[in-house]
Amino acid sequence: MAENLDQLAAVAEYARSTGAPELSIHPIIGRHLVPHDFSRELTGNQLRDGFKEALRRAVAALRQVHPDFTVNVLNPALDTRPRLRHTPGYYAPFLPEGARIHTCDQPPFESAHILSTGHVVVCEVHDEVSLGNLHEQTLSEIWHGPGYRDFRRRYIDGAIPECRGCVWEQAYIPAPFLSSIAAADGMSPQLLRGWHNYDGNGIVWSKKRALVALANPRHSKRVRLAGMLPHAPADAVNSLAVSCNRRPVGAIQNNSASFASFDTGWKLPEAADPLYIELSTSHLFRPSLYSASSDSRDLGVGLSRIEVSS
């Protein structure tokens, strides 16, 4: 908040003294039920330009004093030059016509909020719009029900004003689907669901289940997949199941105690266009549980390339 920007230096000193590798700053998010005056920081639920500039100056001063200490600001609204591209990325301004939403920090395909009243809502921005109540339906019935399905359709089309104006969405300008995806090219909107953000190391990691779309204009009947499958815990076997348009295609197993690289292809059950490839692993791998890594993501399969092949 505006009233504690002058405390950042002391917080950074304390963080360094504890051995913390970095400091993350999360500017205030205004909510209508919080009994506090945020008029110095917010206009409505958006950060004021004056507060953003004051925060930028405070962070710049902090980085100058501690150049070897990582300082993050966790709000895309601080980006001074936001741009929409064909690859998904955070975009804080109100989305223009034609742009689509790829995902967000609380996507309706992967998360839900349950209120103390039993109401199920999509996220805190939509906390007054109930899609069902657990006193009347099961969570599965609500999750797969018409309310959620309709919301998801309008969400990806960018047809919900609150989502178009949310700073936490990752958006892109649509382009025709490609028949191949290389992780080294960066995040692709064809990596539809269940993917972690690309971290620049040549691999995009999935979650336990992930979905990718490929164009297939020549109606080829083979798909090729290259990547990395982590090992399973203890003496278990980790496996990757691959399906296309809801029909099984093939599988990969890793019964070793280390990561296994693969580059293999399968015949498709049909020569459809487009192809929707689902990847599902039997186990997840969290690096922070197996090493000194601070990476606490739950990793499924590492994708380096996927393509339609002849």
Coordinates of all heavy atoms in Angstrom, one line a residue, residues 207-292:
K207 N 0.8 -30.3 -16.5 CA 0.3 -30.7 -15.2 C -0.1 -32.2 -15.4 O 0.4 -32.9 -16.3 CB -0.8 -29.9 -14.7 CG -0.4 -28.4 -14.6 CD -1.5 -27.4 -14.3 CE -1.0 -26.0 -14.3 NZ -2.1 -25.0 -14.0
K208 N -0.9 -32.8 -14.5 CA -1.2 -34.2 -14.6 C -1.9 -34.6 -15.9 O -1.6 -35.6 -16.5 CB -2.0 -34.7 -13.4 CG -2.2 -36.2 -13.3 CD -2.8 -36.6 -12.0 CE -3.1 -38.1 -12.0 NZ -1.9 -38.9 -12.2
R209 N -2.8 -33.7 -16.3 CA -3.5 -33.9 -17.6 C -3.4 -32.6 -18.4 O -3.5 -31.5 -17.8 CB -4.9 -34.2 -17.4 CG -5.2 -35.5 -16.7 CD -6.7 -35.8 -16.5 NE -7.4 -35.9 -17.7 CZ -8.7 -35.9 -17.8 NH1 -9.5 -35.9 -16.7 NH2 -9.4 -36.0 -18.9
A210 N -3.1 -32.7 -19.7 CA -2.9 -31.5 -20.5 C -3.5 -31.8 -21.9 O -3.6 -33.0 -22.3 CB -1.5 -31.2 -20.6
L211 N -3.9 -30.7 -22.6 CA -4.5 -30.8 -23.9 C -3.8 -29.9 -24.8 O -3.5 -28.7 -24.5 CB -6.0 -30.5 -23.8 CG -6.9 -30.7 -25.0 CD1 -7.0 -32.1 -25.4 CD2 -8.3 -30.1 -24.8
V212 N -3.5 -30.4 -26.0 CA -2.9 -29.6 -27.1 C -3.6 -29.8 -28.4 O -4.1 -30.9 -28.7 CB -1.4 -30.0 -27.2 CG1 -1.2 -31.5 -27.5 CG2 -0.7 -29.2 -28.3
A213 N -3.7 -28.8 -29.2 CA -4.4 -28.8 -30.5 C -3.4 -28.7 -31.6 O -2.5 -27.9 -31.6 CB -5.5 -27.8 -30.6
L214 N -3.6 -29.5 -32.7 CA -2.7 -29.4 -33.9 C -3.6 -29.3 -35.1 O -4.6 -30.0 -35.2 CB -1.8 -30.6 -34.0 CG -0.8 -30.9 -32.9 CD1 -0.1 -32.2 -33.1 CD2 0.2 -29.7 -32.9
A215 N -3.2 -28.5 -36.1 CA -3.8 -28.5 -37.4 C -3.4 -29.8 -38.2 O -2.2 -30.2 -38.0 CB -3.5 -27.3 -38.2
N216 N -4.3 -30.3 -39.0 CA -4.0 -31.4 -39.8 C -4.6 -31.3 -41.2 O -5.5 -32.1 -41.6 CB -4.4 -32.7 -39.1 CG -4.0 -34.0 -39.8 OD1 -3.0 -34.0 -40.5 ND2 -4.6 -35.1 -39.5
P217 N -4.2 -30.2 -41.9 CA -4.9 -30.0 -43.2 C -4.7 -31.1 -44.2 O -5.5 -31.2 -45.1 CB -4.2 -28.7 -43.6 CG -2.9 -28.6 -43.0 CD -3.1 -29.3 -41.6
R218 N -3.6 -31.8 -44.1 CA -3.4 -32.9 -45.1 C -4.0 -34.2 -44.6 O -3.8 -35.3 -45.3 CB -1.9 -33.1 -45.4 CG -1.3 -31.8 -46.0 CD 0.2 -32.1 -46.3 NE 0.8 -30.9 -46.9 CZ 2.1 -30.8 -47.3 NH1 2.9 -31.8 -47.1 NH2 2.5 -29.7 -47.8
H219 N -4.6 -34.2 -43.5 CA -5.3 -35.4 -42.9 C -4.3 -36.6 -42.8 O -4.6 -37.7 -43.1 CB -6.5 -35.8 -43.8 CG -7.6 -34.8 -43.7 ND1 -7.7 -33.7 -44.5 CD2 -8.7 -34.8 -42.9 CE1 -8.8 -33.0 -44.2 NE2 -9.4 -33.6 -43.2
S220 N -3.1 -36.2 -42.2 CA -2.1 -37.2 -41.9 C -2.6 -38.1 -40.8 O -3.4 -37.7 -40.0 CB -0.8 -36.6 -41.5 OG -0.3 -35.8 -42.6
K221 N -2.0 -39.3 -40.7 CA -2.5 -40.2 -39.7 C -1.4 -40.6 -38.7 O -1.5 -41.7 -38.1 CB -3.1 -41.5 -40.4 CG -4.4 -41.2 -41.1 CD -5.1 -42.5 -41.5 CE -5.7 -43.1 -40.2 NZ -6.6 -44.3 -40.5
R222 N -0.4 -39.8 -38.5 CA 0.6 -40.0 -37.5 C 0.9 -38.7 -36.7 O 0.8 -37.6 -37.2 CB 1.9 -40.5 -38.1 CG 1.8 -42.0 -38.7 CD 3.1 -42.5 -39.1 NE 4.0 -42.7 -37.9 CZ 3.9 -43.8 -37.1 NH1 3.1 -44.7 -37.4 NH2 4.7 -43.9 -36.1
V223 N 1.3 -38.9 -35.4 CA 1.7 -37.8 -34.6 C 3.0 -38.2 -34.0 O 3.2 -39.4 -33.6 CB 0.6 -37.5 -33.5 CG1 0.4 -38.6 -32.6 CG2 1.0 -36.2 -32.8
R224 N 3.9 -37.2 -33.8 CA 5.2 -37.5 -33.2 C 5.4 -36.6 -32.0 O 5.0 -35.4 -32.0 CB 6.3 -37.2 -34.2 CG 7.7 -37.6 -33.7 CD 8.7 -37.5 -34.8 NE 10.0 -38.0 -34.4 CZ 11.0 -38.2 -35.2 NH1 10.8 -38.1 -36.5 NH2 12.2 -38.6 -34.7
L225 N 5.9 -37.1 -30.9 CA 6.0 -36.4 -29.7 C 7.4 -36.6 -29.1 O 7.9 -37.7 -29.1 CB 5.0 -37.0 -28.7 CG 4.9 -36.4 -27.3 CD1 4.5 -35.0 -27.3 CD2 4.0 -37.2 -26.4
A226 N 8.0 -35.5 -28.7 CA 9.4 -35.6 -28.1 C 9.4 -34.8 -26.8 O 8.7 -33.7 -26.7 CB 10.4 -35.0 -29.1
G227 N 10.0 -35.3 -25.8 CA 10.1 -34.7 -24.5 C 10.8 -35.4 -23.4 O 11.7 -36.2 -23.7
M228 N 10.3 -35.3 -22.2 CA 10.9 -35.9 -21.1 C 9.9 -36.3 -20.1 O 9.0 -35.5 -19.7 CB 11.9 -34.9 -20.4 CG 12.7 -35.4 -19.3 SD 13.9 -34.0 -18.7 CE 14.9 -33.8 -20.2
L229 N 10.0 -37.5 -19.6 CA 9.1 -38.1 -18.6 C 9.8 -38.3 -17.3 O 10.8 -39.1 -17.2 CB 8.5 -39.4 -19.1 CG 7.4 -40.0 -18.2 CD1 6.2 -39.1 -18.0 CD2 7.0 -41.4 -18.7
P230 N 9.4 -37.6 -16.2 CA 10.1 -37.9 -14.9 C 9.9 -39.3 -14.4 O 9.0 -40.0 -14.8 CB 9.4 -36.8 -13.9 CG 8.8 -35.8 -14.8 CD 8.4 -36.6 -16.1
H231 N 10.7 -39.7 -13.4 CA 10.5 -41.0 -12.8 C 9.4 -40.9 -11.7 O 9.1 -39.8 -11.2 CB 11.8 -41.4 -12.1 CG 12.4 -40.5 -11.1 ND1 12.0 -40.4 -9.8 CD2 13.3 -39.5 -11.2 CE1 12.6 -39.5 -9.1 NE2 13.5 -38.9 -10.0
A232 N 8.9 -42.0 -11.3 CA 7.9 -42.1 -10.3 C 8.5 -42.2 -8.9 O 9.7 -42.5 -8.8 CB 7.0 -43.3 -10.5
P233 N 7.8 -41.9 -7.8 CA 8.4 -42.1 -6.5 C 8.6 -43.5 -6.1 O 8.0 -44.4 -6.6 CB 7.3 -41.5 -5.6 CG 6.0 -41.6 -6.4 CD 6.4 -41.4 -7.8
A234 N 9.6 -43.7 -5.3 CA 10.0 -45.1 -4.8 C 10.2 -46.0 -5.9 O 10.9 -45.7 -6.9 CB 8.9 -45.6 -3.8
D235 N 9.6 -47.2 -5.9 CA 9.9 -48.2 -6.9 C 8.7 -48.3 -8.0 O 8.6 -49.2 -8.7 CB 10.0 -49.6 -6.3 CG 11.2 -49.6 -5.4 OD1 12.3 -49.0 -5.7 OD2 11.2 -50.3 -4.4
A236 N 7.9 -47.3 -8.0 CA 6.8 -47.3 -8.9 C 7.2 -46.9 -10.4 O 8.3 -46.5 -10.6 CB 5.7 -46.3 -8.5
V237 N 6.3 -47.2 -11.3 CA 6.6 -46.9 -12.7 C 5.7 -45.7 -13.1 O 4.5 -45.6 -12.8 CB 6.2 -48.1 -13.6 CG1 6.4 -47.7 -15.1 CG2 7.1 -49.3 -13.2
N238 N 6.4 -44.7 -13.8 CA 5.6 -43.6 -14.3 C 5.2 -43.8 -15.7 O 6.1 -44.4 -16.5 CB 6.4 -42.3 -14.2 CG 5.5 -41.1 -14.3 OD1 4.3 -41.1 -14.3 ND2 6.2 -39.9 -14.4
S239 N 4.0 -43.5 -16.1 CA 3.6 -43.7 -17.5 C 2.9 -42.5 -18.0 O 2.3 -41.7 -17.3 CB 2.7 -44.9 -17.6 OG 1.5 -44.7 -16.8
L240 N 3.0 -42.3 -19.3 CA 2.3 -41.2 -20.0 C 1.3 -41.9 -21.0 O 1.7 -42.7 -21.9 CB 3.3 -40.4 -20.8 CG 2.7 -39.4 -21.8 CD1 2.0 -38.3 -21.1 CD2 3.9 -38.8 -22.7
A241 N 0.1 -41.5 -20.9 CA -1.0 -42.0 -21.8 C -1.3 -40.9 -22.8 O -1.5 -39.8 -22.4 CB -2.2 -42.5 -21.0
V242 N -1.4 -41.3 -24.0 CA -1.6 -40.3 -25.1 C -2.9 -40.7 -25.8 O -3.1 -41.9 -26.2 CB -0.5 -40.3 -26.1 CG1 -0.7 -39.2 -27.2 CG2 0.9 -40.0 -25.4
S243 N -3.8 -39.8 -26.0 CA -5.0 -40.0 -26.7 C -5.3 -38.9 -27.7 O -4.7 -37.8 -27.6 CB -6.3 -40.1 -25.8 OG -6.5 -38.9 -25.1
C244 N -6.0 -39.2 -28.8 CA -6.3 -38.2 -29.8 C -7.8 -38.2 -30.0 O -8.4 -39.2 -30.3 CB -5.6 -38.5 -31.1 SG -6.0 -37.4 -32.5
N245 N -8.4 -37.0 -29.9 CA -9.9 -36.8 -30.0 C -10.6 -37.9 -29.2 O -11.6 -38.6 -29.7 CB -10.3 -36.9 -31.5 CG -9.7 -35.7 -32.3 OD1 -9.2 -34.8 -31.7 ND2 -9.8 -35.8 -33.6
R246 N -10.2 -38.1 -28.0 CA -10.8 -39.0 -27.0 C -10.5 -40.5 -27.3 O -11.2 -41.3 -26.6 CB -12.3 -38.7 -26.8 CG -12.6 -37.2 -26.4 CD -14.1 -37.0 -26.2 NE -14.4 -35.7 -25.8 CZ -14.4 -35.2 -24.6 NH1 -14.1 -36.0 -23.5 NH2 -14.7 -34.0 -24.3
R247 N -9.7 -40.8 -28.2 CA -9.4 -42.2 -28.5 C -7.9 -42.5 -28.2 O -7.1 -41.7 -28.5 CB -9.7 -42.5 -29.9 CG -11.2 -42.4 -30.3 CD -11.5 -42.5 -31.7 NE -11.2 -43.8 -32.2 CZ -11.3 -44.2 -33.5 NH1 -11.8 -43.3 -34.4 NH2 -11.1 -45.4 -33.9
P248 N -7.6 -43.6 -27.5 CA -6.3 -43.9 -27.1 C -5.3 -44.1 -28.3 O -5.8 -44.6 -29.4 CB -6.4 -45.3 -26.4 CG -7.8 -45.3 -26.0 CD -8.6 -44.6 -27.0
V249 N -4.1 -43.6 -28.2 CA -3.1 -43.6 -29.3 C -1.9 -44.4 -28.9 O -1.4 -45.3 -29.6 CB -2.7 -42.2 -29.6 CG1 -1.5 -42.2 -30.6 CG2 -3.8 -41.4 -30.3
G250 N -1.4 -44.2 -27.7 CA -0.2 -44.9 -27.3 C 0.2 -44.5 -25.9 O -0.5 -43.8 -25.2
A251 N 1.4 -45.1 -25.4 CA 1.8 -44.8 -24.1 C 3.4 -44.9 -24.0 O 4.0 -45.5 -24.9 CB 1.2 -45.8 -23.1
I252 N 3.9 -44.2 -23.0 CA 5.4 -44.3 -22.7 C 5.5 -44.6 -21.3 O 4.8 -44.1 -20.4 CB 6.0 -42.9 -23.1 CG1 5.9 -42.7 -24.6 CG2 7.5 -42.9 -22.6 CD1 6.4 -41.3 -25.0
Q253 N 6.5 -45.4 -20.9 CA 6.7 -45.8 -19.5 C 8.2 -45.4 -19.1 O 9.1 -45.5 -20.0 CB 6.5 -47.3 -19.3 CG 5.1 -47.7 -19.3 CD 4.9 -49.1 -18.8 OE1 5.8 -49.9 -18.8 NE2 3.7 -49.4 -18.3
N254 N 8.3 -45.0 -17.9 CA 9.6 -44.8 -17.3 C 9.7 -45.6 -16.0 O 9.1 -45.2 -15.0 CB 9.8 -43.3 -17.0 CG 11.2 -43.0 -16.4 OD1 12.0 -43.9 -16.3 ND2 11.4 -41.7 -16.0
N255 N 10.5 -46.7 -16.0 CA 10.6 -47.5 -14.8 C 12.0 -47.3 -14.2 O 12.4 -48.1 -13.4 CB 10.4 -49.0 -15.1 CG 11.2 -49.5 -16.2 OD1 12.1 -48.8 -16.7 ND2 10.9 -50.7 -16.7
S256 N 12.7 -46.2 -14.6 CA 14.0 -45.9 -14.1 C 13.9 -45.0 -12.9 O 12.8 -44.6 -12.4 CB 14.9 -45.3 -15.1 OG 14.5 -43.9 -15.4
A257 N 15.1 -44.6 -12.3 CA 15.1 -43.7 -11.2 C 15.6 -42.3 -11.6 O 16.0 -41.5 -10.8 CB 16.0 -44.3 -10.1
S258 N 15.5 -42.0 -12.9 CA 15.9 -40.7 -13.4 C 14.9 -40.3 -14.5 O 14.0 -41.1 -14.9 CB 17.3 -40.8 -13.9 OG 17.4 -41.8 -15.0
F259 N 15.1 -39.1 -15.0 CA 14.2 -38.6 -16.1 C 14.5 -39.4 -17.4 O 15.7 -39.7 -17.6 CB 14.5 -37.1 -16.3 CG 13.8 -36.2 -15.3 CD1 13.5 -36.6 -14.0 CD2 13.4 -34.9 -15.7 CE1 12.9 -35.8 -13.1 CE2 12.8 -34.1 -14.8 CZ 12.5 -34.5 -13.5
A260 N 13.5 -39.7 -18.1 CA 13.7 -40.4 -19.4 C 13.3 -39.5 -20.6 O 12.2 -39.0 -20.6 CB 12.9 -41.7 -19.4
S261 N 14.2 -39.3 -21.5 CA 13.9 -38.6 -22.7 C 13.3 -39.5 -23.7 O 13.6 -40.7 -23.8 CB 15.2 -38.0 -23.3 OG 15.8 -37.0 -22.5
F262 N 12.4 -39.0 -24.6 CA 11.8 -39.8 -25.6 C 11.5 -39.0 -26.8 O 11.4 -37.8 -26.8 CB 10.4 -40.4 -25.1 CG 9.4 -39.4 -24.7 CD1 8.6 -38.8 -25.6 CD2 9.3 -38.9 -23.4 CE1 7.6 -37.9 -25.3 CE2 8.4 -38.0 -23.0 CZ 7.5 -37.5 -24.0
D263 N 11.4 -39.7 -28.0 CA 11.1 -39.1 -29.2 C 10.4 -40.2 -30.0 O 11.1 -41.1 -30.6 CB 12.3 -38.5 -30.0 CG 11.9 -37.8 -31.2 OD1 10.8 -38.0 -31.7 OD2 12.8 -37.0 -31.8
T264 N 9.1 -40.2 -30.1 CA 8.4 -41.4 -30.7 C 7.2 -40.9 -31.4 O 6.7 -39.8 -31.2 CB 8.1 -42.4 -29.6 OG1 7.6 -43.6 -30.2 CG2 7.0 -41.9 -28.6
G265 N 6.6 -41.8 -32.2 CA 5.4 -41.5 -33.0 C 4.4 -42.6 -32.9 O 4.7 -43.8 -32.6
W266 N 3.1 -42.3 -33.2 CA 2.1 -43.3 -33.2 C 1.2 -43.0 -34.4 O 1.0 -41.9 -34.9 CB 1.2 -43.2 -31.9 CG 2.0 -43.4 -30.7 CD1 2.3 -44.6 -30.1 CD2 2.5 -42.4 -29.8 NE1 2.9 -44.4 -28.9 CE2 3.1 -43.1 -28.7 CE3 2.5 -41.0 -29.8 CZ2 3.7 -42.5 -27.6 CZ3 3.2 -40.4 -28.7 CH2 3.7 -41.1 -27.7
K267 N 0.5 -44.1 -34.8 CA -0.5 -44.0 -35.8 C -1.8 -43.5 -35.2 O -2.2 -43.9 -34.1 CB -0.8 -45.3 -36.5 CG -1.8 -45.3 -37.6 CD -1.9 -46.6 -38.3 CE -2.9 -46.6 -39.5 NZ -3.1 -47.9 -40.1
L268 N -2.5 -42.6 -35.8 CA -3.7 -42.0 -35.3 C -4.9 -42.8 -35.7 O -4.9 -43.5 -36.7 CB -3.9 -40.6 -35.8 CG -2.8 -39.6 -35.4 CD1 -3.0 -38.2 -36.2 CD2 -2.8 -39.3 -33.9
P269 N -5.9 -42.9 -34.8 CA -7.1 -43.6 -35.1 C -7.9 -43.1 -36.3 O -8.7 -43.8 -36.9 CB -7.9 -43.6 -33.8 CG -7.4 -42.4 -33.1 CD -6.0 -42.2 -33.5
E270 N -7.8 -41.8 -36.5 CA -8.5 -41.1 -37.6 C -7.7 -39.9 -38.1 O -6.9 -39.3 -37.4 CB -9.9 -40.7 -37.2 CG -9.9 -39.7 -36.0 CD -11.3 -39.3 -35.6 OE1 -12.2 -39.4 -36.4 OE2 -11.5 -38.8 -34.5
A271 N -7.9 -39.5 -39.3 CA -7.2 -38.4 -39.9 C -8.1 -37.2 -39.8 O -8.6 -36.6 -40.8 CB -6.9 -38.7 -41.4
A272 N -8.3 -36.7 -38.6 CA -9.2 -35.6 -38.4 C -8.4 -34.2 -38.5 O -7.2 -34.2 -38.5 CB -9.9 -35.7 -37.0
D273 N -9.1 -33.1 -38.6 CA -8.6 -31.8 -38.6 C -9.6 -30.9 -37.9 O -10.7 -30.7 -38.4 CB -8.3 -31.3 -40.0 CG -7.6 -30.0 -40.0 OD1 -6.9 -29.6 -39.0 OD2 -7.7 -29.2 -41.0
P274 N -9.2 -30.3 -36.7 CA -7.9 -30.4 -36.0 C -7.8 -31.7 -35.2 O -8.8 -32.4 -35.0 CB -7.9 -29.1 -35.2 CG -9.4 -28.9 -34.8 CD -10.1 -29.3 -36.1
L275 N -6.7 -31.9 -34.6 CA -6.4 -33.0 -33.7 C -6.3 -32.4 -32.3 O -5.6 -31.4 -32.1 CB -5.1 -33.7 -34.1 CG -5.0 -34.3 -35.5 CD1 -3.6 -34.8 -35.7 CD2 -6.0 -35.4 -35.7
Y276 N -7.0 -33.1 -31.4 CA -6.9 -32.7 -29.9 C -6.2 -33.8 -29.2 O -6.8 -34.9 -29.0 CB -8.3 -32.4 -29.4 CG -8.9 -31.1 -29.9 CD1 -9.8 -31.2 -31.0 CD2 -8.6 -29.9 -29.4 CE1 -10.3 -30.1 -31.6 CE2 -9.1 -28.7 -30.0 CZ -10.0 -28.8 -31.0 OH -10.5 -27.7 -31.6
I277 N -4.9 -33.6 -28.8 CA -4.1 -34.6 -28.2 C -4.1 -34.4 -26.7 O -3.8 -33.3 -26.2 CB -2.6 -34.5 -28.7 CG1 -2.6 -34.5 -30.2 CG2 -1.8 -35.6 -28.1 CD1 -3.1 -35.7 -30.9
E278 N -4.5 -35.4 -26.0 CA -4.5 -35.3 -24.5 C -3.3 -36.2 -23.9 O -3.1 -37.3 -24.4 CB -5.8 -35.8 -23.9 CG -5.8 -35.7 -22.4 CD -7.2 -36.0 -21.8 OE1 -7.9 -36.8 -22.4 OE2 -7.5 -35.6 -20.6
L279 N -2.6 -35.6 -23.0 CA -1.5 -36.2 -22.4 C -1.8 -36.4 -20.9 O -2.2 -35.4 -20.2 CB -0.2 -35.4 -22.5 CG 0.1 -35.0 -24.0 CD1 1.4 -34.1 -24.0 CD2 0.4 -36.2 -24.9
S280 N -1.6 -37.6 -20.3 CA -2.0 -37.8 -18.9 C -0.9 -38.7 -18.3 O -0.6 -39.8 -18.8 CB -3.3 -38.5 -18.8 OG -3.7 -38.7 -17.5
T281 N -0.3 -38.3 -17.2 CA 0.7 -39.0 -16.5 C 0.1 -39.7 -15.3 O -0.8 -39.2 -14.7 CB 1.9 -38.2 -16.1 OG1 1.4 -37.1 -15.2 CG2 2.6 -37.5 -17.3
S282 N 0.7 -40.9 -15.0 CA 0.2 -41.6 -13.8 C 0.7 -41.0 -12.5 O 0.1 -41.2 -11.4 CB 0.6 -43.1 -13.9 OG 2.0 -43.2 -14.0
H283 N 1.9 -40.3 -12.5 CA 2.5 -39.7 -11.4 C 2.9 -38.2 -11.7 O 3.1 -37.9 -12.8 CB 3.7 -40.5 -10.9 CG 3.3 -41.8 -10.4 ND1 2.9 -42.1 -9.1 CD2 3.4 -43.0 -11.0 CE1 2.7 -43.4 -8.9 NE2 3.0 -44.0 -10.0
L284 N 3.0 -37.4 -10.6 CA 3.5 -36.1 -10.7 C 4.9 -36.0 -10.1 O 5.1 -36.8 -9.1 CB 2.5 -35.1 -10.1 CG 1.2 -34.8 -10.8 CD1 0.3 -34.0 -10.0 CD2 1.5 -34.1 -12.2
F285 N 5.7 -35.1 -10.5 CA 7.0 -34.9 -10.0 C 7.2 -33.5 -9.5 O 7.0 -32.5 -10.2 CB 8.1 -35.2 -11.0 CG 9.5 -35.1 -10.5 CD1 10.1 -36.2 -10.0 CD2 10.2 -33.9 -10.6 CE1 11.4 -36.1 -9.5 CE2 11.5 -33.8 -10.2 CZ 12.1 -34.9 -9.6
R286 N 7.5 -33.3 -8.2 CA 7.7 -32.0 -7.6 C 9.2 -31.9 -7.3 O 9.7 -32.5 -6.4 CB 6.9 -31.8 -6.4 CG 7.1 -30.4 -5.8 CD 6.2 -30.2 -4.6 NE 4.8 -30.2 -5.0 CZ 3.8 -29.9 -4.1 NH1 4.0 -29.7 -2.8 NH2 2.5 -29.9 -4.5
P287 N 10.0 -31.1 -8.0 CA 11.4 -31.0 -7.9 C 11.9 -30.7 -6.4 O 12.9 -31.2 -6.0 CB 11.8 -29.8 -8.8 CG 10.8 -29.9 -9.9 CD 9.5 -30.2 -9.2
S288 N 11.1 -29.8 -5.7 CA 11.5 -29.4 -4.4 C 11.5 -30.6 -3.4 O 12.1 -30.5 -2.3 CB 10.7 -28.3 -3.9 OG 9.3 -28.7 -3.8
L289 N 10.8 -31.7 -3.7 CA 10.7 -32.8 -2.8 C 11.9 -33.8 -3.0 O 12.2 -34.6 -2.2 CB 9.4 -33.6 -3.0 CG 8.1 -32.9 -2.7 CD1 7.0 -33.8 -3.0 CD2 8.1 -32.5 -1.2
Y290 N 12.6 -33.6 -4.1 CA 13.7 -34.6 -4.5 C 15.1 -34.0 -4.5 O 16.1 -34.7 -4.6 CB 13.4 -35.2 -5.8 CG 12.2 -36.1 -5.9 CD1 10.9 -35.6 -6.2 CD2 12.3 -37.5 -5.6 CE1 9.8 -36.4 -6.2 CE2 11.2 -38.3 -5.7 CZ 9.9 -37.7 -5.9 OH 8.8 -38.5 -6.0
S291 N 15.1 -32.6 -4.3 CA 16.4 -32.0 -4.4 C 16.4 -30.6 -3.6 O 15.4 -30.3 -3.0 CB 16.8 -31.7 -5.9 OG 16.0 -30.8 -6.4
A292 N 17.4 -29.9 -3.7 CA 17.5 -28.6 -3.1 C 16.8 -27.5 -3.9 O 16.8 -26.3 -3.6 CB 18.9 -28.2 -2.9

